[in-house]
């Protein structure tokens, strides 16, 4: 049996699939990732992106942070692709127990997925750092300079910056789902951002599938590896 047939078979036999994904899941919706050749890290800025989107930079230079954030990190108006849609369908059919994502774009929910653990938060949620009032992403997008609440506080996106910890509840739920998974599909992630990447190690089964255009440090741990585009693979899986 070829690799794709094996994967199809595993999907058919599973009812606790966990999908663990990253920026590569949304590139085919038009949102650039960080590390591909045409990704965010290969564009020119005065500072490297990991510096700008760190907590200390945000504290020191919020105006610059928000300029970068608005221009490069606030993906509004994009639509889910075949991968997001297929995962939502599997959840509905009772085959998939959770999507664990490093993405902040909300596209899994837009495709209909319900159990989505957003390790790095979401651009769709924004809160005043003083009074806690909620603001939609459009408010931040349309604001100028530093977005301010009516009370004067800064409106901060609910996105985990470098140097900030992950939400404990989200991490715990992700670990529980991964531990109980009968099939784990890791896809569209360079698996270089920690602690998120380390979650792969909680999987206990023998059906770990890795789908990523580029090689990752976890390739040798996987039971099946595809260095293909997600659209190609999920285009085939969606027909199951
Ligand atoms: P990354 O480090 O940019 O890696 C993405 C990986 O996806 C690369 O190894 C690519 O080879 C691979 N890839 C890209 N497109 C495809 C495709 N169509 N098919 C298969 N593989 C593909 O991104 P990670 O998610 O690993 O890094 C974690 C960061 C990136 C998280 O903190 C995210 O919040 C952040 N990010 C999120 C978004 C988003 O929400 N859409 C966009 C850009 C960055």
């Amino acid at each position: 049996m070829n690799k794709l047939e094996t994967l199809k078979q595993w999907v058919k036999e599973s009812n606790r699939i966990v999908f663990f994904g990253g920026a590569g899941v949304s590139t085919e919706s038009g949102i650039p990732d960080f590390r591909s050749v045409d990704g965010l890290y290969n564009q020119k800025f005065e500072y490297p992106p990991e510096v700008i989107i760190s907590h200390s930079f945000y504290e020191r230079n919020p105006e610059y942070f928000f300029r970068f954030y608005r221009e490069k990190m606030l993906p509004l108006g994009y639509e889910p692709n075949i991968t997001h849609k297929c995962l939502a369908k599997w959840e509905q059919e009772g085959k998939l127990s959770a999507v664990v994502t490093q993405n902040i774009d909300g596209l899994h929910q837009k495709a209909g997925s319900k159990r989505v653990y957003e390790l790095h938060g979401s651009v769709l949620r924004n809160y005043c750092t003083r009074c806690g009032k909620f603001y939609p992403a459009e408010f931040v997008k349309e604001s100028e300079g530093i977005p301010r609440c009516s009370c004067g506080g800064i409106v901060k996106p609910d996105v985990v910056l470098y140097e900030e910890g992950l939400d404990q509840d989200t991490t715990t739920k992700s670990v529980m789902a991964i531990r109980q998974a009968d099939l784990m599909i890791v896809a569209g992630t360079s698996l270089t951002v920690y602690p998120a990447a380390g979650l792969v190690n909680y999987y206990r089964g023998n059906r770990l599938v890795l789908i990523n255009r580029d090689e990752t440090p976890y390739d040798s741990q996987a039971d099946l590896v595809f260095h293909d585009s997600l659209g190609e693979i999920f285009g085939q899986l969606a027909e199951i």
Side-chain angles (χ1 to χ4, degrees), residues 66-114:
F66 276 110
R67 197 151 32 95
F68 178 88
Y69 177 81
R70 254 184 227 107
E71 206 181 306
K72 300 291 173 195
M73 290 183 65
L74 198 41
L76 297 183
Y78 292 92
E79 291 303 320
N81 60 49
I82 183 88
T83 304
H84 300 104
K85 289 177 191 163
C86 182
L87 295 169
K89 177 172 151 273
W90 288 352
E91 183 184 26
Q92 230 168 42
E93 293 169 354
K95 302 188 71 57
L96 178 137
S97 49
V99 169
V100 179
T101 183
Q102 298 166 86
N103 290 351
I104 54 177
D105 56 30
L107 286 188
H108 285 295
Q109 291 90 332
K110 203 168 182 182
S113 284
K114 303 282 179 235

Side-chain angles (χ1 to χ4, degrees), residues 22-24 26-28 31-36 102-105 120 188-191 193 212-214 228-230:
S26 294
T27 52
E28 284 162 313
I31 304 173
D33 63 9
F34 275 2
R35 290 175 187 80
S36 294
Q102 298 166 86
N103 290 351
I104 54 177
D105 56 30
H120 294 157
T189 169
S190 61
L191 292 172
V193 176
N212 205 58
R213 252 182 352 214
D214 299 307
D228 297 297
S229 93
L230 275 162

Side-chain angles (χ1 to χ4, degrees), residues 126-183:
N126 303 273
Y127 298 97
C128 171
T129 49
R130 193 182 290 169
C131 74
K133 186 174 169 192
F134 171 86
Y135 285 89
E138 290 74 16
F139 174 84
V140 178
K141 186 90 182 169
E142 286 154 19
S143 62
E144 280 175 24
I146 302 168
R148 295 269 177 195
C149 176
S150 44
C151 81
I154 298 182
V155 176
K156 187 173 185 272
D158 186 12
V159 164
V160 179
L161 304 179
Y162 285 98
E163 304 162 356
E164 291 179 343
L166 303 188
D167 176 68
Q168 192 56 53
D169 185 51
T170 308
T171 311
T172 305
K173 285 176 174 155
S174 303
V175 168
M176 275 167 57
I178 291 169
R179 278 208 174 122
Q180 289 162 7
D182 52 8
L183 167 63

Side-chain angles (χ1 to χ4, degrees), residues 210-225:
L210 230 152
I211 311 170
N212 205 58
R213 252 182 352 214
D214 299 307
E215 283 179 19
T216 81
Y218 284 78
D219 283 9
S220 60
Q221 281 189 36
D223 300 293
L224 272 184
V225 179

